[in-house]
Amino acid sequence: MKFRFYNVGYFFRLAFQGIFRNSIMSLTTVFVLISTLIVMGSTWALTTNIEYNLQEINTYNKIVVFITRETEDHTTSLLREKIQRLPSVESVEWVTKDEVLKDLAANYGDYGDILQMYDDDNPCKDELIITYTDSSRVTDLTYQINAMNEEEETFGVVDKINDRREVAEKIDSVKNVVVLVCTWLMALLFVVSVFIIMNTIKLAVFSRREEVSIMRYVGASGFFVAFPFVLEGIILGAFSSLTSFGIMYYGYQLLSKAIGDSGLITVLPFSSMLREYVIFFAGVGIGLGVIGSLLSLRKYNRD
Amino acid sequence: MIEFNNVSKVYPNGTKALKNVDLEIKDGEFVFVVGASGAGKTTLTKLLLCEERPSGGRIMIDKFNLSRMSKFKIPKLRRTIGIVFQDFRLLPNMTAAENISFAMHVLGESKKTIKARVANFLRLVGLEHKADCKPGELSGGEKQRVALARALVNNPNVVIADEPTANVDPYMAIEIIELLLKVNQLGKTVIVITHNVNLVNYYKKRVITMKEGQVVSDKQGGMFDEV
């Protein structure tokens, strides 16, 4: 069979005819596909952002040692010297509680003045900010500082050590739960999508059964008969991809603005994931369309 | 050349539709296949179109061995066969011309070729003035002539007409058979499956009579009721 360029128009005409003839099923397909893609896209965005923040935490090579409030300056200084001598320590910066309060006030911007009420009774503590060279020795470092807290000349100086590992571990476990739940949800939606597309295409085949039977009798190739149906799946998939991409884009912008403004975590800009997102949405959407339609045409191909 | 060598067909439900059928139809022959309902005529057609595969024996149509043909080659085989159905099977949303051109279109013919050939075949079946009519606006005989034009438009070697006169009046039935004879004179092999006693007896062509899945009579210039 010769391929004619005008056949492309014919294929598209049949595909769109199928979509509009079974509009309810087509709408259902698009709705399920969009849901699947949004869940997949959100999971991806969430895990990418969590991983980025975890990485940031891990590259934050500092430990903060909070000094008990009653400690004399020379004792703090002694502890600082002791820590400074440890092999994996690069520097130890001593931030007094007044500086801590001042930094805090600066972070609050226009509302920083509120903290002036604490000028006479500063609730903050002095901090020793330790910059280390080897992140694999953080546990050792923490252990050694705790040991210094037991030594006579620096006894009870350390109030608390904050090495952020706990936070990282918590975030990581939350991420694992999110990934697990979303993976199951995605798998479920994937199966539902394929099933719905299969039924939509089956309906399209049914509504064109006379045409298909004549095509077969006159010797049309399997490709010529089947391609309009596969194209229908592709169009439904592509339309769903485009719509869900738009929803994700605007949703992400809104959310990242809200979260970013809070300053709690770093939200990656959408543009940094744009290329992967376009490939992902187009691939999954169109892929689902093709898989669904091919599966529904299996019976036809067997006959 | 069409050859059936010891062909049997048993359906999955156990029905023995054909039993050891031996048959030979030469190129350019005109054959009536007759027999009561359930005699195996429809199965014979299905086997020729490769809609069904034989349970035993060998079927050859020219170079095609239908018993062992892969499903990918079936479209190629069907392009050499034109089929006319009792119920016309025209697409209701297409005009007469579009119904004919559809058969060429799905084989990838160029628009120019389609236009020229469709006009020729509409003239051949005497329906050039009805080119733009949809099947709903045509009589039974006209519909069957459109179906015949569609079967012929891709220039097949063999034309199978399955009860082509069943849904038309006696005058139109003669006209359709005359058209098929004209097609036969053009060198095509024509197989007409029919119940129409008068037509078979009138034309005195080769008559293959089937009964309970077997060929019980095969005679040149035969009559319907000889068995």
Side-chain angles (χ1 to χ4, degrees):
Chain A
M1 198 190 93
K2 292 158 242 138
F3 180 80
R4 302 277 172 191
F5 191 69
Y6 68 79
N7 283 341
V8 176
Y10 168 79
F11 289 147
F12 272 97
R13 187 168 59 81
L14 288 189
F16 278 109
Q17 238 173 35
I19 289 169
F20 290 111
R21 215 179 265 177
N22 307 303
S23 49
I24 302 283
M25 276 307 284
S26 301
L27 269 177
T28 314
T29 308
V30 167
F31 179 76
V32 176
L33 272 177
I34 289 175
S35 311
T36 310
L37 285 164
I38 287 179
V39 170
M40 285 181 172
S42 307
T43 310
W44 189 14
L46 198 65
T47 47
T48 310
N49 274 288
I50 289 174
E51 258 160 22
Y52 177 78
N53 280 280
L54 280 174
Q55 223 169 26
E56 253 198 350
I57 289 169
N58 288 334
T59 53
Y60 182 83
N61 59 339
K62 286 183 170 68
I63 291 176
V64 182
V65 176
F66 295 93
I67 306 296
T68 40
R69 215 165 270 135
E70 306 78 26
T71 311
E72 301 280 339
D73 282 356
H74 74 272
T75 319
T76 308
S77 179
L78 192 63
L79 178 70
R80 184 190 177 186
E81 279 163 28
K82 275 186 173 179
I83 295 171
Q84 187 72 69
R85 281 198 292 272
L86 291 172
S88 57
V89 171
E90 190 180 283
S91 65
V92 183
E93 187 193 352
W94 182 359
V95 186
T96 64
K97 59 184 181 184
D98 294 333
E99 285 168 328
V100 173
L101 188 68
K102 219 155 85 182
D103 285 349
L104 213 55
N107 281 344
Y108 277 100
D110 294 343
Y111 304 101
D113 294 345
I114 300 168
L115 295 173
Q116 277 176 359
M117 58 192 276
Y118 293 114
D119 279 352
D120 297 331
D121 185 19
N122 187 351
C124 301
K125 294 164 186 163
D126 281 9
E127 292 171 9
L128 292 180
I129 300 170
I130 305 157
T131 307
Y132 51 82
T133 50
D134 184 1
S135 59
S136 66
R137 295 186 59 91
V138 177
T139 315
D140 287 348
L141 205 58
T142 315
Y143 178 78
Q144 284 164 324
I145 296 167
N146 276 321
M148 287 172 193
N149 200 32
E150 300 299 320
E151 288 169 10
E152 201 183 332
E153 63 271 34
T154 50
F155 183 81
V157 174
V158 177
D159 181 57
K160 191 183 161 197
I161 303 171
N162 188 355
D163 62 6
R164 285 203 178 192
R165 276 180 312 154
E166 211 178 306
V167 182
E169 274 164 19
K170 271 183 190 162
I171 292 175
D172 203 35
S173 60
V174 169
K175 186 196 91 177
N176 290 338
V177 173
V178 168
V179 169
L180 188 74
V181 171
C182 290
T183 306
W184 279 105
L185 195 61
M186 276 192 289
L188 184 73
L189 281 168
F190 193 92
V191 173
V192 172
S193 304
V194 170
F195 181 75
I196 301 264
I197 294 171
M198 273 173 67
N199 282 295
T200 307
I201 303 299
K202 267 184 193 166
L203 271 182
V205 175
F206 183 76
S207 64
R208 283 185 51 216
R209 62 194 179 284
E210 280 184 345
E211 218 170 306
V212 167
S213 104
I214 291 162
M215 283 163 106
R216 293 174 66 186
Y217 279 126
V218 298
S221 66
F223 170 80
F224 199 95
V225 178
F227 190 68
F229 299 113
V230 178
L231 190 62
E232 190 176 329
I234 292 174
I235 292 170
L236 289 172
F239 177 75
S240 309
S241 300
L242 209 65
T243 313
S244 45
F245 182 82
I247 295 170
M248 271 300 295
Y249 178 78
Y250 286 106
Y252 192 90
Q253 302 286 11
L254 282 174
L255 267 174
S256 64
K257 196 174 178 308
I259 298 169
D261 284 351
S262 74
L264 288 170
I265 55 165
T266 312
V267 182
L268 287 167
F270 195 81
S271 56
S272 69
M273 306 184 283
L274 190 69
R275 207 174 66 121
E276 289 85 350
Y277 252 65
V278 169
I279 295 168
F280 171 78
F281 273 82
V284 175
I286 294 170
L288 277 171
V290 172
I291 292 170
S293 43
L294 285 180
L295 284 175
S296 71
L297 291 170
R298 258 185 331 166
K299 188 181 170 298
Y300 164 77
N301 285 327
R302 269 205 305 268
D303 292 342
Chain B
M1 167 94 94
I2 298 170
E3 272 182 275
F4 278 61
N5 287 325
N6 201 24
V7 173
S8 302
K9 175 65 189 174
V10 183
Y11 285 105
N13 64 4
T15 308
K16 288 177 183 168
L18 288 187
K19 294 168 201 164
N20 310 104
V21 172
D22 285 306
L23 201 61
E24 193 180 289
I25 300 171
K26 291 194 175 70
D27 288 343
E29 267 199 278
F30 189 106
V31 180
F32 284 114
V33 179
V34 298
S37 295
K41 303 187 304 289
T42 307
T43 302
L44 196 82
T45 314
K46 284 183 174 176
L47 289 171
L48 284 171
L49 289 168
C50 229
E51 267 188 85
E52 294 288 347
R53 300 297 181 112
S55 312
R58 193 179 74 149
I59 305 171
M60 293 290 293
I61 300 182
D62 296 330
K63 59 184 177 179
F64 297 103
N65 182 347
L66 275 57
S67 317
R68 287 193 291 172
M69 197 162 63
S70 82
K71 66 174 185 177
F72 301 105
K73 280 192 179 166
I74 295 175
K76 277 188 183 171
L77 164 80
R78 288 180 181 165
R79 280 170 218 164
T80 67
I81 301 172
I83 176 96
V84 179
F85 299 98
Q86 175 183 349
D87 55 358
F88 322 123
R89 300 206 193 165
L90 298 178
L91 296 170
N93 55 340
M94 289 185 186
T95 64
E98 285 167 348
N99 263 289
I100 301 166
S101 64
F102 178 72
M104 292 184 80
H105 180 75
V106 298
L107 296 189
E109 293 295 346
S110 73
K111 278 186 175 177
K112 200 176 152 192
T113 314
I114 292 176
K115 204 176 164 190
R117 292 197 69 175
V118 168
N120 276 343
F121 278 89
L122 274 169
R123 221 179 356 261
L124 178 81
V125 296
L127 286 176
E128 59 267 53
H129 59 292
K130 299 267 178 146
D132 297 325
C133 292
K134 290 196 172 171
E137 298 156 353
L138 301 172
S139 69
E142 288 168 335
K143 282 181 198 168
Q144 196 57 290
R145 282 190 279 164
V146 174
L148 183 59
R150 183 182 62 193
L152 295 170
V153 78
N154 285 322
N155 198 25
N157 301 326
V158 180
V159 176
I160 301 172
D162 187 4
E163 300 281 0
T165 57
N167 289 324
V168 297
D169 61 62
Y171 300 106
M172 194 48 69
I174 291 174
E175 225 173 284
I176 286 166
I177 297 297
E178 289 293 334
L179 262 174
L180 286 166
L181 282 167
K182 209 158 127 185
V183 169
N184 178 236
Q185 278 158 15
L186 295 170
K188 314 280 181 204
T189 308
V190 177
I191 301 168
V192 181
I193 291 150
T194 186
H195 278 119
N196 196 320
V197 181
N198 296 332
L199 283 176
V200 173
N201 293 344
Y202 177 75
Y203 282 101
K204 294 195 168 35
K205 290 283 182 183
R206 180 180 169 191
V207 180
I208 296 168
T209 310
M210 297 191 70
K211 193 179 177 186
E212 291 170 0
Q214 286 176 308
V215 173
V216 289
S217 156
D218 184 354
K219 285 185 180 169
Q220 285 291 346
M223 303 286 275
F224 192 97
D225 52 357
E226 274 187 3
V227 177

